[in-house]
Amino acid sequence: MKKTLFAFALSLLLTCLVLSPALADATAVHISLSDRGLAFSLMQQTASSYFQLKIGDFHPSVKKSPVQAFPLFYLSIATQTPPETIWKQKGKGWGKLAKELGLPANFHGKYMSAKNKHKKGSPAKNDDAIFEELLTIRFLHEYYGADPDLLFYWRSRGLTYEDLFIGINLGCRLQKSPVDFFSLRVAGKDWRLIAAEVKVPYSTLSKPAAAPKKTLSLPKEKPPQKNKKAKKK
């Protein structure tokens, strides 16, 4: 009887694991506030350089969550709509907003190779999360030349966007693959310890190691036109 119950419990556990397609996504690697702060600064600097705008021009909400800058700015460029105009409609969700702006349903993933396209349909994420993930990975690919496959893999291992930015940037600085750094992060080491191991000042992790391979220009909001007074006859 006990063996039967044990076998049933084991079978049930295995079934649950099989039916959880994105188990790794639910287990994010912890990142310290200090590491997160460095990563936020790095995101802001690289985004401002790539999209040619000042960090001070970022919307306050984007400053608090820099990952939102990437779908915002890519949508702005693709539709030639000022970021300010798009942000006012952010509550609709990135996907619905993109559709209303006339973009195809696969806009956020069409830049990827066919072998990566299945990754955008993860049932464990909502539309906004998928949109932000794909366009953040697109940014890392375009700015640093990072391999999307590599980025998707380490995301599936639980690394945060902050980890990806710091690791890719550090690899670029040292001319090394970021894989070793990512492995150390998954093993539980924070970026302060990793920086010490590779003999890089911790504070420099927030400094972009390279200029973008290309830049894009955001459309600007046109100032309201003043009503011209009719000339007196």
Side-chain angles (χ1 to χ4, degrees), residues 4 9 32 42 60 65-66 73 76 86-87 89 116 119 124 139 144 158 161 166 169 188 198 204 209 212 214 230:
T4 303
S32 69
L42 179 60
S65 179
F73 294 156
S76 174
I86 293 177
W87 187 260
Q89 305 175 66
N116 280 325
K119 296 184 176 70
F139 177 79
Y144 290 104
Y161 296 120
I166 293 178
N169 191 65
V198 296
T204 63
K214 65 176 183 178

Side-chain angles (χ1 to χ4, degrees), residues 137 139-151 168 213:
I137 286 176
F139 177 79
L140 285 166
H141 171 65
E142 292 182 349
Y143 189 100
Y144 290 104
D147 179 8
D149 280 336
L150 178 75
L151 301 175
I168 294 293
K213 296 182 179 297

Side-chain angles (χ1 to χ4, degrees), residues 85-171:
T85 303
I86 293 177
W87 187 260
K88 291 175 184 176
Q89 305 175 66
K90 165 67 174 64
K92 296 179 179 179
W94 293 122
K96 184 176 180 180
L97 187 51
K99 184 177 180 181
E100 289 183 0
L101 291 169
L103 294 176
N106 69 334
F107 160 75
H108 55 320
K110 70 176 184 178
Y111 82 98
M112 296 186 305
S113 62
K115 63 182 177 181
N116 280 325
K117 287 191 176 180
H118 70 280
K119 296 184 176 70
K120 71 178 182 177
S122 171
K125 298 176 183 175
N126 60 34
D127 180 71
D128 274 9
I130 294 171
F131 216 98
E132 288 170 1
E133 179 175 65
L134 287 170
L135 291 180
T136 300
I137 286 176
R138 173 182 174 179
F139 177 79
L140 285 166
H141 171 65
E142 292 182 349
Y143 189 100
Y144 290 104
D147 179 8
D149 280 336
L150 178 75
L151 301 175
F152 277 118
Y153 171 74
W154 288 104
R155 277 287 291 162
S156 74
R157 293 290 303 277
L159 291 189
T160 64
Y161 296 120
E162 292 87 350
D163 288 316
L164 295 185
F165 268 84
I166 293 178
I168 294 293
N169 191 65
L170 182 58

Side-chain angles (χ1 to χ4, degrees), residues 50-52 77 80 215-219:
Y50 188 75
F51 295 108
Q52 301 183 64
I77 289 168
Q80 286 301 294
T215 57
L216 299 175
S217 297
L218 290 169

